[in-house]
Amino acid sequence: MSESARPTLSDVAARAGVSASTASLAFSGSGPVSDATKQRVLAAAAELGYAGPDPRARSLRRGRSGIVGVVLEQRVRTAFLDPVKIQMLDGITEGIAPLGAGLLLLTDVGAADLPVVDTADGIVATPALSVENAPVDAVVLVGCSPRLGQTVAALRRRGIPTVAIEGAAGSDIPEISIDNRDATRRGAQHLRDLGHADAAIVTLPLDPARTRGPLTAALEAGSTSDTASERLRGAREVFPNATGRSAAASSIEEGLEAGRVLLADPATRPTAIIAQSDLLAAGVLQAAEELGVAVPGEVSVVGFDGIRVDGLQHDLTTLVQPSVAKGRAAGEAVVRMLAEDGGDAPASRCFTSVLHIGDTTAPPRAR
């Protein structure tokens, strides 16, 4: 291969010492290629600067798939329990309407995390579709995933046009975001203005393992979730010494577990809790009810999202974000990226949240 020539799949195969078909399967993830061989092929590609088969070239040969992938940072069943995810999906559907494309939902859990399937002949196999091989024209990354970097790397290898909703995926990938840091700072300042000096934080997952437990300096420093980290920084601008808990997911169950720990001991109980999602906040409120802790008399609670949580009796103080608009903006960005005339690349967009003051915050009682 000459110095100026663009490397080809055949060049990669020769460097890795495998056949061209094996190299192709290693990139697509759709065939019986061992992990060791796949890694050898990917290493050879990295050495040669080969980014993977060009999906635009494939589209000239076979036409587009007519599918836009949506990657969720949690299992689909869990995602559908989160109104924020549903609103974003509604927005994406509206945004890509001009394409006439369908949506394919994927998760960023690894293949080892997916359930196995018993086939008719007794062979056990994992589901075939993933970010490594799904037949998609473009992908929207939805949510605040601590595994964002791994997913983006896989999509870059395939050359798939990508848009991220939350999470800085790189300068070449447009991001549709919210003012996470400033929004949380405003929510925290609301608590400070009420007179609170002792606040705790319940965060979204911070690391790829989705560690549940105390909010330690090591966990914060190793965070791979931009959204959780930005919201944490906003809270710390007002409450620099706040303690807290890291949740394993954005769910009522996770908020309940964190709330039980934070509110159990009256001697160490904070007067306010800042939750990084409304579902987490709803769980904290449930824990307060279980423990007989009055809200907002004994503890104030602030959430983030501005969603309606079924069964929640309180009017939650929260930062309201335009989830449908964010999804729509991501869908519109996909349409521009797939435009036949190859127009200007879509720019990133950052939406602004609104502080809604409900009945879950009040001045702290004197102790």
Side-chain angles (χ1 to χ4, degrees):
M1 185 183 70
S2 68
E3 296 263 341
S4 59
R6 182 179 184 275
T8 66
L9 186 62
S10 295
D11 297 324
V12 173
R15 174 68 66 92
V18 299
S19 66
S21 61
T22 296
S24 177
L25 289 174
F27 269 99
S28 71
S30 59
V33 179
S34 70
D35 288 341
T37 299
K38 180 177 179 180
Q39 291 308 312
R40 194 163 74 249
V41 170
L42 295 180
E47 291 172 6
L48 295 173
Y50 177 73
D54 186 349
R56 288 188 173 86
R58 289 197 299 269
S59 71
L60 292 175
R61 295 193 300 269
R62 302 181 311 189
R64 287 184 176 151
S65 67
I67 298 173
V68 172
V70 176
V71 179
L72 305 166
E73 90 282 10
Q74 55 201 151
R75 294 186 183 280
V76 173
R77 180 183 301 175
T78 304
F80 277 118
L81 296 176
D82 186 345
V84 173
K85 300 299 188 300
I86 294 173
Q87 290 174 7
M88 287 184 185
L89 287 172
D90 285 342
I92 292 170
T93 301
E94 293 176 13
I96 66 169
L99 296 176
L103 290 182
L104 174 64
L105 301 185
L106 304 165
T107 71
D108 71 358
V109 295
D113 298 323
L114 294 170
V116 295
V117 177
D118 291 305
T119 60
D121 56 3
I123 297 174
V124 179
T126 55
L129 293 182
S130 71
V131 293
E132 298 278 1
N133 59 21
V136 293
D137 298 323
V139 162
V140 178
L141 305 174
V142 174
C144 325
S145 176
R147 295 180 177 176
L148 178 69
Q150 300 168 22
T151 302
V152 168
L155 293 171
R156 279 206 176 101
R157 285 196 297 270
R158 298 184 61 197
I160 300 293
T162 303
V163 179
I165 300 180
E166 300 288 348
S171 59
D172 59 326
I173 295 179
E175 178 189 2
I176 311 300
S177 62
I178 192 76
D179 55 340
N180 288 299
R181 183 170 184 167
D182 185 60
T184 306
R185 182 197 57 76
R186 284 185 280 120
Q189 189 61 52
H190 165 65
L191 293 171
R192 175 68 78 179
D193 292 342
L194 289 172
H196 291 275
D198 182 11
I201 306 165
V202 179
T203 76
L204 294 164
L206 290 167
D207 63 348
R210 293 181 169 89
T211 301
R212 178 196 296 118
L215 187 55
T216 64
L219 190 58
E220 286 188 46
S223 172
T224 55
S225 171
D226 291 324
T227 300
S229 293
E230 284 296 291
R231 294 182 187 180
L232 191 53
R233 292 185 186 104
R236 293 217 182 279
E237 287 183 15
V238 181
F239 297 104
N241 300 315
T243 58
R245 304 281 297 177
S246 172
S250 177
S251 69
I252 294 176
E253 293 75 17
E254 288 292 321
L256 174 61
E257 191 277 339
R260 284 169 174 163
V261 175
L262 293 172
L263 300 174
D265 186 353
T268 59
R269 182 183 299 154
T271 64
I273 294 178
I274 301 168
Q276 290 193 344
S277 78
D278 285 352
L279 291 179
L280 290 171
V284 170
L285 293 171
Q286 188 173 326
E289 183 178 1
E290 278 187 7
L291 297 168
V293 178
V295 176
E298 295 176 273
V299 64
S300 289
V301 179
V302 174
F304 199 118
D305 286 330
I307 60 174
R308 180 184 176 127
V309 180
D310 289 342
L312 184 63
Q313 301 302 312
H314 287 277
D315 176 16
L316 179 65
T317 295
T318 186
L319 284 306
V320 182
Q321 65 162 314
S323 299
V324 174
K326 287 169 64 180
R328 186 184 303 112
E332 291 169 350
V334 167
V335 172
R336 293 185 61 185
M337 295 174 88
L338 296 179
E340 296 293 341
D341 60 5
D344 295 336
S348 295
R349 292 186 62 184
C350 183
F351 288 84
T352 302
S353 62
V354 177
L355 176 62
H356 167 76
I357 300 176
D359 63 15
T360 60
T361 50
R365 285 182 185 173
R367 290 184 174 178

